[in-house]
Amino acid sequence: MAKETHSKPPKEQEGEKTPPGWPLEFLEFSTELMKPGGVRDRGFGARGQRIATPKILRVKVALAGIRPPVWRRLELPGEMSLAKLHVVLQIAFSWIDDHLHQFERGRERWGVPSSADFEAVSDERRVRLGVLLRRAGDHLDYEYDFGDSWRHRITVEAVVAPEPGVAYPRCTAGRRAAPPEDCGGPFAYPGLLATLADPEHEGHDELLEWLGDPFDPEAFDLAAVERRLARPAKAR
């Protein structure tokens, strides 16, 4: 009688699961990410370092070059990848993920690698947040829209244990609305606000038409951000 054999399926090639340049709707949080207590997809971070103990990073994310300041306070699983953090930041600041982005610290950069890159970036999907940010005071920069150059400083305020029954990531506080997309960046934004506040300005009506929806620079809806973070990716 011939001995029964079982053939093993071929291993997936690295990088086949998610091709670079994916749109926001295909960046889905895993089922584990939405469970109380946070992520469970443990793995290795940069340089092969492993995050052994679950931890939550309490961070403040501030938009650079804007006064009065625009900021959000987030609580993030240390095991979250930078790719998933990108999605969280888009939600927290109500951006629409219509432009390129990258993370930076010193001379290191992470993003979505492309053959069209002027300078190479490391793959953001393969880096865990808790490997880069370990203690209070550590920071990381996030740039969105290389034309307008909206730069965000991510600073760790505390490293804490996950709370039972709490779903991470979550937003716990924030101030003011993020500027409208494609408005020209931090240098052009004050002019937009001045025009918006002056009904007699010659460009006031044109600006209102361009904005489409009412824009209140002082508004921040924490409950709306929390609902979007809790919503499954396919529903967003």
Side-chain angles (χ1 to χ4, degrees):
M1 181 175 177
K3 185 177 180 181
E4 185 178 356
T5 60
H6 299 277
S7 60
K8 295 183 179 179
K11 293 183 179 179
E12 287 187 286
Q13 297 298 314
E14 184 177 354
E16 283 186 345
K17 289 186 177 181
T18 311
W22 58 86
L24 177 60
E25 60 265 31
F26 291 111
L27 270 173
E28 298 186 6
F29 292 112
S30 66
T31 303
E32 294 292 341
L33 179 64
M34 308 314 300
K35 288 183 178 180
V39 207
R40 298 189 183 186
D41 79 350
R42 307 190 183 284
F44 290 91
R47 303 184 181 89
Q49 296 165 307
R50 186 177 179 84
I51 304 171
T53 306
K55 60 183 177 181
I56 300 300
L57 301 172
R58 185 176 299 142
V59 304
K60 184 174 182 180
V61 187
L63 196 54
I66 299 294
R67 293 291 180 271
V70 175
W71 59 270
R72 307 288 184 260
R73 180 166 287 114
L74 304 171
E75 293 185 351
L76 309 167
E79 294 182 347
M80 172 181 282
S81 70
L82 293 186
K84 290 178 180 176
L85 175 57
H86 161 66
V87 179
V88 171
L89 293 173
Q90 289 288 306
I91 292 172
F93 285 87
S94 297
W95 302 120
I96 61 174
D97 200 23
D98 200 30
H99 300 280
L100 299 174
H101 70 277
Q102 68 180 3
F103 293 91
E104 300 177 47
R105 191 174 67 175
R107 295 184 177 180
E108 296 182 280
R109 288 185 302 279
W110 301 268
V112 181
S114 167
S115 58
D117 287 339
F118 181 72
E119 294 184 15
V121 297
S122 300
D123 193 337
E124 63 183 17
R125 296 170 297 174
R126 305 188 182 282
V127 182
R128 306 291 180 177
L129 185 60
V131 172
L132 299 176
L133 304 178
R134 296 174 174 273
R135 59 186 66 84
D138 286 355
H139 61 82
L140 180 68
D141 291 325
Y142 169 74
E143 182 179 9
Y144 171 63
D145 185 350
F146 297 162
D148 282 5
S149 191
W150 299 111
R151 299 186 66 86
H152 308 64
R153 171 57 60 95
I154 305 166
T155 305
V156 179
E157 296 184 322
V159 180
V160 299
E163 298 179 32
V166 173
Y168 299 99
R170 66 174 178 170
C171 181
T172 61
R175 291 295 300 275
R176 301 178 184 86
E181 300 256 1
D182 300 314
C183 72
F187 297 106
Y189 184 53
L192 179 148
L193 294 181
T195 302
L196 192 63
D198 182 6
E200 301 301 320
H201 192 284
E202 61 180 1
H204 180 78
D205 293 343
E206 183 180 353
L207 176 59
L208 290 179
E209 183 179 354
W210 178 76
L211 287 171
D213 298 320
F215 177 70
D216 180 0
E218 295 297 316
F220 171 62
D221 191 339
L222 175 61
V225 171
E226 278 290 88
R227 284 194 299 271
R228 289 192 65 202
L229 286 175
R231 195 181 305 163
K234 286 184 178 178
R236 284 201 291 270

